[in-house]
Amino acid sequence: FMFKGQIDEPEFAELLLYSCPFSESDAPIFIESANMKVTGDIDNFRYLYLSGSAAEEDFRELVDMKRDSRLRLNNLKAKLETVNSEIAAANGKSDSLQNLAERLSRQEPLIENELSVSDSVFITRFPNSDVTAYLIDNNMKIERFVLSNVDSLYAIMPKRAKHTRYGKSISRQMSL
């Protein structure tokens, strides 16, 4: 397949395979107006490779930083889903399973916080990256970053990034 067109600024996107519903059939990428090439394996679609995009190279750095935490979070969610299914099958009459579900549920925010810390580290290490404005905006929307964190992170963003759609969204959210 081939995509043709122009975008005004680097943009987070996802390629989706609809032939594989409810599987890891999405591939998060960062696209920009450049000559880019996508390569990968249909059986491992989530890990395709996009070349020709500086923003994508930065995004891959972020993905690598978050890989272990993301894997632990996915495993935790799968385990919690299994335990909740077992609780439902026992008609909620298993205290040990309910206790396990509660313990697992308490771990999720801790791992989510690790992901947020990774984002902050990336932003601090790569303030000029096109991925930085996206990260700040995204973390504000899912309420991982408090406004005091955003002020200092926004301050180190280059002027160019502040004028992107992500930068403008951050500014709007900060003024609320």
Side-chain angles (χ1 to χ4, degrees):
F1 56 89
M2 180 181 289
F3 298 102
K4 286 187 178 185
Q6 295 280 5
I7 56 174
D8 294 331
E9 58 196 38
E11 181 81 34
F12 176 79
E14 289 184 295
L15 291 178
L16 301 172
L17 281 179
Y18 286 107
S19 62
C20 305
F22 308 112
S23 67
E24 291 199 357
S25 59
D26 65 316
I29 56 174
F30 239 88
I31 59 173
E32 60 188 291
S33 287
N35 187 13
M36 298 177 290
K37 181 179 180 179
V38 176
T39 55
D41 179 0
I42 194 86
D43 294 325
N44 202 7
F45 189 72
R46 174 161 264 205
Y47 301 101
L48 62 78
Y49 179 73
L50 176 68
S51 60
S53 166
E56 173 66 11
E57 288 177 25
D58 290 349
F59 187 64
R60 287 292 126 214
E61 177 82 20
L62 174 68
V63 168
D64 288 345
M65 288 172 65
K66 296 169 85 169
R67 181 167 279 119
D68 291 341
S69 296
R70 178 72 57 204
L71 181 60
R72 285 196 350 269
L73 182 61
N74 290 344
N75 290 338
L76 175 69
K77 287 181 177 185
K79 177 71 174 170
L80 188 55
E81 185 176 323
T82 299
V83 170
N84 284 332
S85 294
E86 291 173 5
I87 291 170
N91 293 322
K93 295 181 182 177
S94 175
D95 289 341
S96 63
L97 285 174
Q98 288 179 340
N99 289 337
L100 176 58
E102 288 173 16
R103 283 195 313 273
L104 292 172
S105 294
R106 285 192 298 268
Q107 291 176 28
E108 190 171 349
L110 300 174
I111 299 173
E112 291 283 352
N113 187 58
E114 289 176 19
L115 294 169
S116 177
V117 168
S118 294
D119 288 348
S120 295
V121 168
F122 178 92
I123 292 164
T124 304
R125 284 181 52 200
F126 304 100
N128 294 320
S129 171
D130 290 311
V131 177
T132 293
Y134 161 76
L135 281 177
I136 295 171
D137 183 50
N138 187 56
N139 276 281
M140 288 180 77
K141 287 178 180 170
I142 58 176
E143 298 180 355
R144 279 193 192 150
F145 284 176
V146 294
L147 196 55
S148 59
N149 290 10
V150 172
D151 285 339
S152 60
L153 295 172
Y154 185 78
I156 64 174
M157 283 174 44
K159 191 174 191 176
R160 158 187 71 70
K162 292 177 182 176
H163 291 287
T164 65
R165 106 178 155 85
Y166 297 122
K168 290 174 185 175
S169 175
I170 295 164
S171 181
R172 274 192 308 276
Q173 291 177 74
M174 287 172 45
S175 67
L176 296 177

